[in-house]
Amino acid sequence: MRYLPLTDHDRSAMLDVIGAADVDALFVDVPTSARLDGPIRGLPNHATELSVERHLSALARKNRAAGDGPFFLGCGAYKHHVPASVDHIIQRGEFLTAYTPYQPEIAQGTLQVLFEFQTQVARLFGCDVANASMYDGSSACWEAVTMAGRITKRKRAILSSGLHPHYVSVAQTMARFTGDALSYQTPTLSPATDIDDLLAAIDGQTSCIVVQYPDILGRIDDLSALASKAHEHGALLIAVVTEPVALGAIKSPGEMGADIVVGEGQSLGVGLQFGGPYVGLFACKEKYVRQMPGRLCGETVDAEGKRGFVLTLSTREQHIRREKATSNICTNSGLCALAFSVHMTLLGERGLRDLAMLNHSLASHAAERLAKVSGVDVINNSFFNEFTLKLSKEARPIVRKLAENGVLGGVSLGRLFPGVSALANGLVVAVTETATVDDIEALATALEGALT
Amino acid sequence: MSINASGWRPAMGGSGVANAGTTTGNRALMLEEALIFEIGDSETTGVDLADPVVSPSRLGFLARNRPIGLAGLSEPETVRHYTRLSRQNYGIDLGFFPLGSCTMKHNPRLNEKMARLPGFADIHPLQPIDTVQGALELIDQLAHWLKTLTGMPAVAMSPKAGAHGELCGILAIRAALEARGDAREVILVPESAHGTNPATAAFAGYRVEDIPAPSGRIDTAALIARLGPDVAGVMITNPNTCGLFESDLKDISDAVHAAGGFVYCDGANFNAIVGRVRPGDLGVDAMHINLHKTFSTPHGGGGPGSGPVVFSAALAPYAPLPFVDRDGDNFLLVEEESAKDRHVSSFGRMVAFHGQMGMFTRALSYILSHGADGLRQVSGDAVLNANYILRSLEDTLDAPFAVAGPCMHEALFSDDGMAEGFTTLDIAKGLIDEGFHPMTVYFPLVVHGAMLVEPTETESKAALDQFIVALRSVAERAKAGDPSLKSAPHFAPRRRLDETLAARKPVLVWKEPVLAVAAE
């Protein structure tokens, strides 16, 4: 078998050195009742590369790729064009097959990338510092809530109705076990966010307020008032960014006063991949750095005075503090963080701003065009590259009809908020630089047909 | 805006600057490389984009009005920057990477090719499920392999890494106990356990108590004596972190179950027993599997991982959402909506979307390539390689458990016998000069100066022989007290780095030099 270099000759020579009769003798500590006598029955034996390719390609062909036609899904995962160089760089063996940089002298490649990544994320979010990535946006969001709890020593978190329902669901699952109290309501199909409700709810028991920016319906709101009120009451403002490209066009949560900013980096460098692996982004104010979860890369010098980088502040982490760690996280999303960073470097500030304006211009054009379709209202006043339509009929069957006609037209709110009848006619449409004017026309036409 | 083209900064605080002997600071193929912020700028970009279409702005009053502070490079400069950085990294592709408990086996490129098929790479998690039946079927096939290999009836595919899987398993245990109105506060964890185990138990709201493991294996009598109505369960690694099979595990499981608790198994070391032993036969209730260890998905410099969790019948009802189910020939995704019909006792959702699909494709590609016979060969060769290393070096290095019998897939040595002032760390740094990534050091905690060597099955005998020669020579230098070892590595891109300084004065982001000077 092609991944097993030992020959039978090698094996017997090695058994001689060991002084064992056969490999089975090495498993002497396994009780005989637990030992299987041969390969597990009912499973196929080894296969050639060719046959594995055939098997998996057949499964791949049963899926409709986003690139196969007009595509408008968002809600926490976005189709952006990733430049060809990114995938080549991340497949270099020195990046792909490297490990966590615990021996920094031979891992400066990984470490310098992480330092650059941390800087990019901190600047994008308008924060002082950022970590070396989390699993994804939803786990980063929950870790931010627990971090706020450690800092404020309070247990009540207010979740905005604009927060992605999966992120809410994760927080609710975890809070059930940690005893944190969460307040949350599902959103309404209106142009206004729930900012007034959030302001009214903040009090001296509040640990944090969690807002998504732009929110699940694509609405954008100023976070400054929330930050001020939170701080007056000793609470923290946590902002969640599920579409980082937006920050090429709109103000950062950090500059509006957010204490912790988390998000999903998938839009840059990391493809849709049916939901994972993605890359969690985590940034905060300098004064909270010792409460951050996850790995941190810091600058230092070596014995010859040369600048170098190392993982640092490890006493926060599980391998040092064990049950007193800030989190149980070990693995990060290193290769995805690399992809994000390479894509950001290729874009640069100019490129990110241009990409953002291209996204927004197409989304704005789409909103104008779709508003003209009978039975369609655009809910949003403001948006970046994603907005919500209120249809004259329930959206979920419409999405299926559009799919039958070759258009993946968006995410129905019925899918994300099952059983919430007030949202059933809602359809969230994302428009990135990968959508053409023709695609938008095709969506409009298909919607017209589906709604009559 | 660039300040230092070679990236080489002068020393801070007055210690001497080494002379590389060249003007640039480069040494032939070993190239110094600056930060993107030092060589790029805010106007340069390596991407060509279409012009925006004409349409009104809908950004509200929140349009950005300040620079972000990002640096851009053209495509050639970008490729060069990252290529140069990559050459400062060790990887499995380069050589032997014997990190105990990490299972640094070869990462097959077929995995990468399959993961990139557009039908897997370019599908959105919220597409209508009849447009992604192949993806759901793949997850189902992988789930079937994982259940069959472990002898367990159920599996949760959504956890994103091993520690996340541990959390999944512990939360399922907690949910099961709450469902029978029997909340317990304590989880028992061997002192040899990986740090994520107690961290996870604490994160899930439990109090952790240590189980002694003085001779490598768990003190079974002590564990059983401690069981009681306040113990929710135990977290056991098998084979354990000393590289030994926990022979009493079935008896332990029986005792834990009799006392009303559950057994969590950390599956990080599954590579030692895959295809030969099924954890389900040993009474395990939940076990995470690291796809990035046993099933060859790439480590990527620290992640991403994937940590599916197999469950016993007792815990299966509490497994998290979402998961894939079948309805005849159709595959379904069971999310919050259908939970009340299909999975009412689930403890809830652990993560947005469905799991690490990209790692599932890679793992299934690997599993299909090996098949049942190949996977059995994997554990056989992994254990053979580790024992070969153990027996070849036990005359040179102290191996505390070598007398008692064979090891499993990893060999454990201690620092006993080193000259005064010489440590495991010095041996690790000496190995770097010899062209190897060091083994795991200072873990597990139960052995002084632990050195944990896991070769994996993808090493040839020649590679093992070369490592044995190298480690023997470095160990001899440590025993003899060779002073040059204290300042190793000498030949790596960097000498020993000042980790104390990094923690004392953390610099976690780049700052413009003007601001940095002003801050001093």
Side-chain angles (χ1 to χ4, degrees):
Chain A
M1 275 159 266
R2 57 189 181 277
Y3 306 137
L4 301 173
L6 294 184
T7 64
D8 284 337
H9 180 79
D10 292 331
R11 293 183 184 108
S12 28
M14 291 160 73
L15 284 167
D16 282 345
V17 167
I18 294 167
D22 52 32
V23 167
D24 283 340
L26 302 174
F27 286 88
V28 63
D29 292 327
V30 179
T32 30
S33 54
R35 270 187 249 179
L36 302 175
D37 55 12
I40 295 174
R41 292 182 232 348
L43 293 174
N45 279 344
H46 67 280
T48 62
E49 263 203 34
L50 179 54
S51 68
V52 174
E53 280 197 40
R54 281 199 178 122
H55 180 106
L56 293 176
S57 300
L59 288 177
R61 273 195 299 275
K62 293 187 190 177
N63 302 321
R64 212 204 112 135
D68 286 347
F71 177 85
F72 298 94
L73 275 77
C75 290
Y78 299 90
K79 181 171 170 64
H80 287 284
H81 179 257
V82 179
S85 316
V86 175
D87 203 36
H88 280 273
I89 288 168
I90 70 171
Q91 287 193 81
R92 286 188 68 85
E94 300 94 329
F95 284 131
L96 186 76
T97 73
Y99 190 63
T100 306
Y102 290 129
Q103 298 289 349
E105 300 89 344
I106 47 174
Q108 288 299 297
T110 295
L111 285 160
Q112 184 167 327
V113 166
L114 289 178
F115 188 79
E116 293 176 349
F117 169 82
Q118 285 172 187
T119 306
Q120 289 169 325
V121 172
R123 289 178 172 218
L124 189 67
F125 281 177
C127 295
D128 299 325
V129 295
N131 76 9
S133 80
M134 313 289 288
Y135 308 136
D136 78 327
S138 69
S139 57
C141 179
W142 174 249
E143 294 267 11
V145 172
T146 59
M147 177 171 158
R150 286 193 293 280
I151 292 165
T152 62
K153 311 237 185 319
R154 300 172 184 172
K155 288 187 88 70
R156 208 179 285 170
I158 303 172
L159 307 184
S160 161
S161 65
L163 183 60
H164 193 296
H166 286 189
Y167 289 38
V168 173
S169 189
V170 170
Q172 288 171 332
T173 299
M174 295 306 304
R176 185 182 138 197
F177 296 106
T178 61
D180 287 279
L182 305 178
S183 70
Y184 168 74
Q185 285 168 325
T186 55
T188 53
L189 277 182
S190 72
T193 64
D194 65 344
I195 192 161
D196 291 336
D197 293 337
L198 295 176
L199 285 166
I202 300 172
D203 65 18
Q205 309 297 319
T206 309
S207 172
C208 59
I209 306 95
V210 184
V211 271
Q212 186 172 308
Y213 174 82
D215 79 359
I216 189 66
L217 302 185
R219 300 172 302 196
I220 310 171
D221 217 336
D222 192 336
L223 305 179
S224 320
L226 273 176
S228 304
K229 184 114 195 257
H231 297 151
E232 267 167 43
H233 291 273
L236 301 187
L237 175 61
I238 298 172
V240 178
V241 178
T242 60
E243 170 52 303
V245 177
L247 299 179
I250 58 180
K251 289 186 183 173
S252 69
E255 74 188 87
M256 293 189 279
D259 299 284
I260 305 174
V261 184
V262 298
E264 177 50 68
Q266 174 275 326
S267 282
L268 290 166
V270 180
L272 290 173
Q273 299 177 100
F274 201 51
Y278 286 172
V279 53
L281 309 175
F282 198 110
C284 68
K285 290 181 174 163
E286 179 108 48
K287 58 181 172 173
Y288 299 132
V289 72
R290 279 163 211 277
Q291 287 300 330
M292 276 181 112
R295 295 176 181 154
L296 282 170
C297 174
E299 182 181 317
T300 186
V301 288
D302 80 347
E304 288 176 351
K306 289 189 191 175
R307 179 178 69 188
F309 302 95
V310 290
L311 292 180
T312 192
L313 299 183
S314 314
T315 51
R316 299 162 301 115
E317 296 183 72
Q318 49 78 27
H319 56 296
I320 307 290
R321 289 296 281 276
R322 298 172 72 88
E323 64 265 26
K324 297 193 175 57
T326 54
S327 164
N328 74 334
I329 191 173
C330 181
T331 296
N332 65 354
S333 200
L335 200 69
C336 298
L338 172 63
F340 177 98
S341 197
V342 176
H343 194 168
M344 276 286 240
T345 298
L346 281 167
L347 284 169
E349 177 127 359
R350 164 84 351 230
L352 181 67
R353 297 180 81 120
D354 288 349
L355 177 64
M357 291 322 296
L358 178 54
N359 272 249
H360 182 62
S361 71
L362 283 164
S364 175
H365 169 82
E368 300 260 291
R369 176 64 187 90
L370 294 173
K372 297 190 173 102
V373 174
S374 166
V376 173
D377 283 321
V378 175
I379 298 293
N380 303 54
N381 285 334
S382 63
F383 55 84
F384 168 62
N385 66 0
E386 191 167 37
F387 50 83
T388 302
L389 305 178
K390 183 170 180 180
L391 306 180
S392 52
K393 295 181 179 178
E394 213 189 306
R396 227 164 157 182
I398 300 291
V399 166
R400 269 182 238 123
K401 259 196 180 171
L402 295 176
E404 281 160 27
N405 289 313
V407 173
L408 289 176
V411 180
S412 69
L413 290 180
R415 170 84 191 264
L416 283 180
F417 300 95
V420 181
S421 50
L423 297 175
N425 291 20
L427 177 68
V428 183
V429 175
V431 186
T432 72
E433 76 284 0
T434 61
T436 65
V437 168
D438 288 344
D439 289 337
I440 293 166
E441 194 53 39
L443 174 60
T445 308
L447 261 179
E448 239 144 44
L451 287 171
T452 47
Chain B
M1 206 164 121
S2 79
I3 51 165
N4 181 345
S6 75
W8 183 358
R9 287 278 191 87
M12 284 150 42
S15 57
V17 178
N19 186 351
T22 63
T23 306
T24 55
N26 295 330
R27 293 182 193 181
L29 290 179
M30 195 126 76
L31 300 166
E32 294 287 330
E33 181 62 12
L35 293 165
I36 50 176
F37 304 98
E38 292 166 329
I39 55 183
D41 62 54
S42 59
E43 280 305 306
T44 303
T45 179
V47 173
D48 291 320
L49 295 170
D51 292 327
V53 299
V54 174
S55 55
S57 169
R58 303 288 293 269
L59 298 172
F61 302 108
L62 290 164
R64 203 179 245 289
N65 55 12
R66 283 186 214 180
I68 303 170
L70 296 172
L73 295 173
S74 65
E75 182 178 308
E77 292 170 299
T78 300
V79 170
R80 237 177 231 168
H81 176 74
Y82 291 101
T83 300
R84 289 185 186 156
L85 289 181
S86 77
R87 291 166 58 78
Q88 295 176 28
N89 261 12
Y90 195 96
I92 300 171
D93 278 1
L94 191 64
F96 192 54
F97 211 134
L99 280 178
S101 273
C102 298
T103 312
M104 306 296 290
K105 64 173 73 184
H106 171 71
N107 304 134
R109 291 314 198 272
L110 177 64
N111 298 359
E112 298 306 311
K113 185 175 177 185
M114 295 297 94
R116 286 167 168 80
L117 293 172
F120 296 133
D122 196 24
I123 49 176
H124 189 288
L126 298 174
Q127 286 180 214
I129 59 164
D130 28 269
T131 66
V132 290
Q133 286 288 299
L136 300 178
E137 188 173 351
L138 186 146
I139 298 174
D140 188 65
Q141 287 187 8
L142 178 60
H144 174 72
W145 274 93
L146 296 178
K147 289 184 288 187
T148 311
L149 288 170
T150 57
M152 311 276 277
V155 63
M157 298 299 289
S158 59
K160 294 244 162 188
H164 208 216
E166 290 174 31
L167 187 60
C168 176
I170 297 301
L171 293 182
I173 289 172
R174 208 169 140 170
L177 288 168
E178 282 173 9
R180 62 173 206 233
D182 183 12
R184 302 178 173 209
E185 310 105 46
V186 175
I187 295 253
L188 304 179
V189 177
E191 50 192 359
S192 54
H194 190 273
T196 50
N197 289 182
T200 295
F203 207 61
Y206 283 109
R207 200 172 77 240
V208 173
E209 282 183 25
D210 279 344
I211 309 165
S215 60
R217 291 186 171 84
I218 287 172
D219 182 341
T220 304
L223 189 164
I224 292 181
R226 178 56 189 89
L227 294 174
D230 64 335
V231 176
V234 304
M235 294 178 84
I236 291 181
T237 307
N238 188 34
N240 65 29
T241 60
C242 299
L244 306 171
F245 193 86
E246 293 283 4
S247 317
D248 291 344
L249 183 51
K250 182 69 169 72
D251 293 334
I252 291 172
S253 297
D254 291 342
V256 171
H257 293 149
F262 292 94
V263 178
Y264 183 85
C265 183
D266 181 323
N269 292 332
F270 191 51
N271 206 49
I273 57 174
V274 62
R276 288 173 189 267
V277 182
R278 291 181 303 209
D281 295 339
L282 299 170
V284 165
D285 290 296
M287 183 179 97
H288 77 268
I289 298 167
N290 303 75
L291 296 187
H292 48 295
K293 295 187 181 183
T294 315
F295 296 108
S296 87
T297 73
H299 288 91
S306 176
V309 179
V310 284
F311 283 114
S312 64
L315 286 184
Y318 307 97
L321 304 170
F323 60 91
V324 176
D325 204 349
R326 287 184 92 124
D327 191 2
D329 282 337
N330 288 328
F331 292 93
L332 320 165
L333 195 59
V334 178
E335 298 182 301
E336 286 83 347
E337 177 180 29
S338 37
K340 52 187 180 315
D341 296 325
R342 287 181 167 269
H343 198 49
V344 63
S345 303
S346 166
F347 73 71
R349 176 184 282 276
M350 286 191 80
V351 77
F353 308 129
H354 328 311
Q356 306 285 62
M357 180 69 186
M359 309 340 260
F360 300 158
T361 338
R362 289 170 169 89
L364 187 61
S365 167
Y366 173 86
I367 284 171
L368 291 172
S369 296
H370 274 290
D373 57 335
L375 290 171
R376 191 179 165 87
Q377 191 71 65
V378 163
S379 56
D381 285 353
V383 170
L384 177 63
N385 281 358
N387 278 280
Y388 181 67
I389 288 187
L390 181 67
R391 299 305 167 198
S392 301
L393 285 167
E394 64 183 342
D395 58 339
T396 306
L397 283 169
D398 173 59
F401 310 120
V403 163
C407 61
M408 293 268 89
H409 66 312
E410 49 198 6
L412 183 55
F413 302 99
S414 82
D415 63 358
D416 199 43
M418 304 291 129
E420 181 72 34
F422 280 74
T423 64
T424 290
L425 187 71
D426 300 320
I427 292 186
K429 301 308 181 187
L431 264 178
I432 289 175
D433 279 334
E434 296 290 344
F436 291 95
H437 191 286
M439 57 300 224
T440 294
V441 294
Y442 301 105
F443 177 81
L445 302 172
V446 295
V447 165
H448 198 272
M451 288 177 266
L452 191 61
V453 181
E454 181 185 353
T456 85
E457 74 285 359
T458 58
E459 296 301 324
S460 66
K461 180 172 177 298
L464 301 178
D465 287 335
Q466 196 182 45
F467 177 73
I468 288 164
V469 161
L471 181 51
R472 181 176 289 128
S473 87
V474 176
E476 296 298 353
R477 288 166 66 197
K479 286 154 79 171
D482 172 1
S484 70
L485 197 58
K486 293 300 281 175
S487 48
H490 297 268
F491 307 125
R494 285 295 178 265
R495 307 295 300 279
R496 287 200 202 190
L497 288 143
D498 191 341
E499 303 196 7
T500 310
L501 176 67
R504 200 164 26 92
K505 290 208 267 184
V507 175
L508 307 175
V509 293
W510 183 79
K511 292 195 164 77
E512 278 80 354
V514 160
L515 295 173
V517 164
E520 277 159 28

